[in-house]
Amino acid sequence: MIRLKYTVLLFVMLFNAGLQAQNTYKRWSDIIRKNDASWFGSDQAKKIAENVLLYQRDIGGWPKNIQMQNELTASEKKSLLKLKKNAVETTTDNGATTQEMLFMSRMYAQVKDERYKESFLKGLDYLLKAQYANGGWPQFYPLKKGYYSHITYNDDSMARILEVLKEISEETNYYSIKPSKEITLKSKTAFDKGIDCILKTQYKQNGVLTVWCAQHDEVTLQPAKARAYELPSLSGKESAGIVLLLMSIDKPSPEIVTAVKAAHAWFEKTKITNIKEEPVLNSKGEKIDKKIVAGQNTDPVWARFMELDTNEPFFSDRDGIKKKSLNDIGPERRNGYAWYTNDPAEVLKKYSAWAVKNGTRVSEKDKKNITYITVAQDGSGDFTKIQDAVYASPAFPYEKVTIFVKKGTYNEKVRIPEWNTNIILLGENKENTIITYDDNFSKISLGRNSTFYTYTVLVEGDDFTASNLTIKNASGDRGQGIALSVVSNRAKITNCILSGHQDTLYLSGTNTRQYFKDCYIEGTTDFIFGGATALFENCEIHSIKSSYITAASTPEGTAFGFVFKNCRLTAEPEASAVYLGRPWRIYAKTAFINCEMGKQIKPEGWENWSKPEAEKKALYAEFNNKGEGFNPSKRVSWSHQLTKSEADKYSIENILKDTVLNWYSK
């Protein structure tokens, strides 16, 4: 009886061992990654390894979309031997080459067959040879004509390559095969070049870093087209893989940190939580199609393709015509392509811990209660960059969030997004707390609207306050260059220096109210411009040369445009002929009340900018001004000298009236 029990037990153990050694996965990628280590020493694994060796070309790479585990006939094996020298279809697309290298590494860990080691090293050599001088990789190497030569992030191709090189260069134990020191160093160089390429291809939208396209031109590095329905766009899927790679880098450079934080902000901005995919079934209950329907509080997804400048998702058939809804394209492409992804959710999940480790003392757990953040260049604060503090600020907070900026010159573009409301940007003092950048129209070079991308600081979030700061566009007298752009409502700027040349201060937005008090604002041409309603109190308006102070574009029907009260208008000695303003748009409204005007102000005061109709529709007004530049009798006939009762209407309560009562005094 004892012998029988022993025999049965032995049989069960051997039977279970056989099951464990038997691969149960059908997909090639699953076979590589999901089998236990011991399986790679089995006869079945060795048999598959012979196929993998056959498929590898002499150049070192493999073709894609091959189920390597499928048994080969004698004829097929003969054909593959003949193809060894043919490198036409070798690629890193769809996981090709990198996954076969992993397979060979896992085989070699169990079976010390030198052919496996040689195969792995040939694959590594292939990756190194395929890299462009700019750090990117094409989809196929040797190069294949067409879009295949673009730098390819598609389907995580380049991210996978860099993950291999990272493991090799850091000499980890992830791969069982250890290259020579020379190859390890080459891998490190290639990895660094690849990361540099990633940083250079991160797309700037209106001057702000976002994410990446699936393909970038190998020469210009700009977003590029692939197949007819794969148009230049920002990619929700591929960008996630890139960011996760960047987040895996120990002791990242400031540039990498900036890239990750910018991408994280973009993922937060573009996540979709109000749709879901629903199957379309036939009468037998079989899925024959899918459609997108509205949902509430659904798990976030991101579109595979989003417009480069608006982030709007789009979809297309093989005709390449953009459609706004997945439901608008034909069933072949609708069901044959992954149009939505949840990959960025992994970035959002890991970001908190990464952010705490790399540049912030504020954890995601604490983020809900943030009300005060310190920025200091010497590292004594929570951040060393202002933009990073903005990234850490909660969206739509109930309380004011103060970003205190210690003394220093911060050479950066700063954007306060529309979801970062209630921000207070507080400098230590205005003379020594300086935010500066040097973009201008020619440098930006984005077409006729380049001016609007030149800002040093852009404010989109409502209920913004700034004080004790210098905000400067340092490009000099080289055309349009905005220092401060405010397109938000209820923005209050006090005790600040706003410095630039042409177009220093842009004020706009729909039905926006903005308040400037005790500020110094300098520039050359149209250096205060836009369509907002803005009140300037106790400010010094300084002209650097003879030109125009204001260029209002007040919308028709707006009660007030730009209003200057108790301000001083000063100028450099060479600025001897300065106009108070000219109409950017014909309904421009600008008023100067109780202001001191220097002799630089031209007697006629105003100019129509070759718009005769503006003389009837614009409102240029003055009241009770003084100084050598105040010459009411010599002003152009179509301007207005207000009466006392008319001037009384220009009260702070009337000008800045809003649904939030007395916001300007808080």
Side-chain angles (χ1 to χ4, degrees), residues 202-246:
Q202 190 171 14
Y203 186 75
K204 276 191 173 183
Q205 185 184 87
N206 300 332
V208 178
L209 287 172
T210 57
V211 286
W212 293 263
C213 183
Q215 292 83 214
H216 287 255
D217 186 275
E218 64 272 27
V219 177
T220 68
L221 305 186
Q222 294 302 305
K225 176 184 177 182
R227 288 174 286 190
Y229 53 89
E230 295 174 326
L231 302 172
S233 61
L234 296 176
S235 167
K237 177 176 173 56
E238 280 74 17
S239 296
I242 293 170
V243 176
L244 289 170
L245 171 70
L246 295 177

Side-chain angles (χ1 to χ4, degrees), residues 1-6:
M1 179 66 71
I2 294 174
R3 177 174 291 181
L4 177 61
K5 288 183 178 178
Y6 175 79

